[in-house]
Amino acid sequence: MPSIENRLWRFHGVAPTAWLAFVYLYLPIVILVVLSFNANKVATLWTGFSFDWYLRVLENDNILRATRNSLVVATGATVVSTFFATLAALAMASGPFRGKGVMNAMLGLPLLVPEIVTAVASLLFFLALGLELGLTTVLIAHIVFCLPFAYLPIRARLEGLDPRLAEAAADLYASRWQSFRRVTLPLILPGVVSGAMLAFIVSLDDFVITFFVAGAGATTLPVYIFGLIRMGITPEVNAISALLLMVSIAFVVLSYRVGRRPS
């Protein structure tokens, strides 16, 4: 007897609707990538194939400066958020304690709260502290926002570990640090790397939070792209977007592949 999923998929109209949804989501992206190779200055009028706009992107000092800011923030946010996410995941896996459920919910809260709310709250927090808006405030906001993305793969990896491994290490007179360094860390390392990759790409692609908490001279690549779009779509914008898309896809695929490695 076919499963409920198979029967639902065979129901008249479900499959065409699903395909229409995929076309609606991904066809504009395909068109954007294709038009990024357009030789014409008009973004929507195809006249021939060319790499000129990619070369212009690589020669544009403003784009390179925004890219450098994005990489600095994304790298810093990844390192710090992954470190604290690993500590939090180890604490959550250590056993029951008072307030564990509340702490677990708080760690996942940034995923549930609308990003615009997080952005406004971060801005008000920095203004209340008297902090000058810049790359530092962007970095702090990204660390908080990226924390759950780094935490979830590590937590999932820890849940799949056999607790008898740590007990065996203790029976062999290993200290807690030795047990973590030689047993636990190598086993959860794919989850740590996967979480770090997700945190990096989330930080690199973020626009809403960055737009609110970035000051002068702290323009990141997504914010710079937004500024270009306000003046009109050009093949240069398509080229930047296509490059950012390729980097995002590469990191997401790598994160998935690394996270799927067996313990």
Side-chain angles (χ1 to χ4, degrees), residues 4 23 25 28-29 34 59 66 79 99 102 107 135 144 178 187 233:
I4 297 177
V23 170
L25 288 173
I29 298 176
V34 172
E59 294 172 354
V79 172
V102 176
L107 286 169
L135 282 181
V144 176
Q178 290 174 325
L187 293 175
I233 303 295

Side-chain angles (χ1 to χ4, degrees), residues 41-123:
K41 292 183 179 180
V42 180
T44 57
L45 182 61
W46 178 269
T47 57
F49 186 88
S50 175
F51 285 104
D52 290 346
W53 297 108
Y54 286 91
L55 296 177
R56 293 194 183 189
V57 166
L58 298 177
E59 294 172 354
N60 190 314
D61 292 336
N62 292 328
I63 294 176
L64 295 178
R65 188 180 302 111
T67 303
R68 183 169 57 250
N69 289 340
S70 291
L71 291 175
V72 168
V73 171
T75 302
T78 298
V79 172
V80 178
S81 64
T82 303
F83 174 76
F84 284 111
T86 303
L87 296 182
L90 290 171
M92 290 296 173
S94 62
F97 58 86
R98 181 177 296 179
K100 181 177 180 179
V102 176
M103 290 299 299
N104 195 43
M106 292 295 292
L107 286 169
L109 193 59
L111 294 174
L112 303 176
V113 176
E115 195 172 349
I116 185 67
V117 176
T118 303
V120 173
S122 300
L123 175 62

